[in-house]
Amino acid sequence: MAAGFALLMLVWTYPLAWRLSTHLPGPHLGDNVQFLWNFWWMRHAVAAGRDFFVSPYQMAPAGADLTLHTHTALPAFLGATLLGRFPIAAAVNLTTLASLTLNGVCAYLLAWRVTRHRLAAILAGVIFSTSPYIAAHLNGHFNLIGAWGIPLFALTFIEAVRGRAAFAFLAGAVAAATAYVDYYYVVYQLALAPCVLLLEARQWSWRMRAAFPRWLIATVLIALLLDALLVGLVLATGGFQVHLGSVRISARETFNLRQIGGVLAVAAAFLYWRPAVSIGSSPAWRATAWRHVTVAAVTFIVLTAPILWHATLITLRGGYVTQQYVWRNAPVGIDLLTMIVPSPYHAVIGEWVRAIYARFDIDAVESGAWLGLVPLALTVAAWRTWRTDPSVRYWTVIGALFFVWALGSHIHVAGENTGFITPAALLRYVPVVSNARMPSRAMVVVYLAVGVLAALAISRIAVTRRAAIAWMALALVLADFVVTPFPTVPLTCPQIYTTLRERPESGALVELPLGLADGFGDLSPLDRRTLMCQTVHERPIVGGMLSRLPPDVLARYRADPLISQWLLLSGASQRAVPPAAAPAPAVAARAMATDGIAFVMLNRTTASPALRLFVERDLPLTPIADDGERTLYVRRTSP
């Protein structure tokens, strides 16, 4: 079965396997280069016996703490050991193909446990491994394509809770392995665990009771009508102010009114239908479950001790970084329009679909939610057995919870924030979970749930009718999710970086304009080739890119008269670096020596005239190479 999914991934990602050593997945150099750098640094760390989570090769002279960085330590370690003889790009691509294969295999194993039907389990594996979610993040987020830990954790944790002791260790080990691949997926596993416990420990059912008193429903409906009238009034007048004695009521836009309207609409629906949940004891619940959960937790803690230790140190130093936002500017979740628009990465119609996304300013990577016609139809078919099949209820509940999470704090449709607030808005107040800032990524669990539900439906169809229908469903899913040929970008560095590598002087390199970026955006424009070409010249660099930039690094750069000036002249915002006068040549020379900066690479095509003048006039530099676009300088060590 693994060979079958491996072959599928070779075809699905074509021509990647034919360009292992020279290209990376993705249409251009972007976040994909970050993972190439991870593999390169892991090889240095392993060879030198150094701590991988602290690197002196970025953010010189401060160095980089990689604990909160998207470090992909597990695949990078495999790339440094098992694949150590391969070129770095080949190691990245081989582990990427292996992760894609494992996605299918692990989803297959989970669906097989649920259905005991081979063809249905294959369908689940195909839906999960070729989903538009995986295709979108294969464009550069190589941490997120390693989603195999989620189905494998679900499988092992469920078995552990049901009484199989060996699976308790496996569940903890899988969660720990996931922590060395991606932070988001550990958070999703932590969210899956209580879902599984609640679904296993109790029997759940719901029904509609008689509605609440009509006067109460009418009151809410009147409030909803008044809210709608106020929205209309604001839209018609552009806003208004009303003075009631000393009280002033003003409305200049409709967002808050739409939020209130959404809450009132949900309240009205609840009062009218009055859903009631009945909870009873589950006869399958075993007293050993809590012991197995404890074993899984301890196993996870032991195996992730290096990460937890560094995370503790960061927190104690005040270096824990997360995005600060309020409800209105929270990261956008999925856009509901994308649920009726095919995948933007489809091999045939993807370009047209991306034009639709662009028309409504929808992020094709982060906000897509196309589930596929066949998977969705089979999911609906599976719901017909809601009352009789506990597995359908099980995976529907899990899928629904993560779908609400993926919506984000507010529902978006066609690029517009409807103002309809969701329960996911409260997740920003939950420690650890709040740092999984992109809510749309919870769709990965929705695709898994849809795959399992589709497998449940097809297992009945294949048994009661003909297997040919199941094979046809499989073919239609592949046609819906096909992305072949997948875009790849070549990895080429100018010869001047080889010249730099061969220089005898020791010390760091600063590339100008100086780029500095984190997962929230660029503080100053960063040319991603900087990280790629570092794997050629192998010198520490000033600046760079980390998923989370520790505040002490930015503070040190602001306090450094030379680096702060480089950042300002490179286009850094005043929010990142406050304005300051250029340091005198003597001060700049001392700063270069103190910071251990031996080389300057000036890109004349992107540097501003002021930056070029500062480099050429005020710095103690001697040019040693020029390729027409860049000039390489070495710092003079004597007057």
Side-chain angles (χ1 to χ4, degrees), residues 248-302:
R248 185 183 66 178
I249 301 175
S250 65
R252 300 184 182 279
E253 46 83 35
T254 64
F255 185 80
N256 289 332
L257 291 172
R258 284 182 280 132
Q259 285 194 118
I260 295 170
V263 173
L264 289 172
V266 172
F270 176 81
L271 293 173
Y272 181 78
W273 280 292
R274 199 181 177 189
V277 177
S278 299
I279 306 173
S281 299
S282 173
W285 178 256
R286 297 175 180 270
T288 58
W290 289 114
R291 183 166 69 246
H292 293 168
V293 171
T294 302
V295 169
V298 171
T299 302
F300 172 79
I301 291 171
V302 170

Side-chain angles (χ1 to χ4, degrees), residues 216-217 219-221 223-225 227-228 231 254-272 327 409-411 418-423 425-426:
L216 184 57
I217 300 174
T219 300
V220 175
L221 289 176
L224 182 59
L225 178 60
D227 183 81
V231 169
T254 64
F255 185 80
N256 289 332
L257 291 172
R258 284 182 280 132
Q259 285 194 118
I260 295 170
V263 173
L264 289 172
V266 172
F270 176 81
L271 293 173
Y272 181 78
W327 290 348
S409 62
H410 294 83
I411 293 177
T418 65
F420 197 109
I421 195 167
T422 77
L426 300 176

Side-chain angles (χ1 to χ4, degrees), residues 6 26 35 66 133 138 148 190 282 287 315 318 320 388 433 435 461 479 498 578 627:
F35 301 96
L66 305 182
Y133 173 91
L138 184 57
W148 48 267
L190 292 175
S282 173
T315 303
Y320 182 80
T388 59
V433 175
N435 219 358
I461 293 173
T498 302
D627 65 2

Side-chain angles (χ1 to χ4, degrees), residues 43 49 53 102 181 244-245 260 265 267 305 328 332-333 361 368 378 423 433 475-477 496 522 549 604:
R43 290 189 177 188
F53 292 101
L102 283 173
V181 176
L244 299 175
I260 295 170
R328 295 191 61 158
V332 176
D361 196 24
L378 290 173
V433 175
L476 290 173
V477 168
I496 197 169
D522 287 7
L549 182 64
R604 296 182 177 277

Side-chain angles (χ1 to χ4, degrees), residues 153 168-177 179-180 186 190 293-310 312:
F153 175 80
F169 292 100
L170 288 175
V174 169
Y180 291 97
V186 176
L190 292 175
V293 171
T294 302
V295 169
V298 171
T299 302
F300 172 79
I301 291 171
V302 170
L303 294 180
T304 58
I307 295 178
L308 296 176
W309 171 249
H310 282 285
T312 301

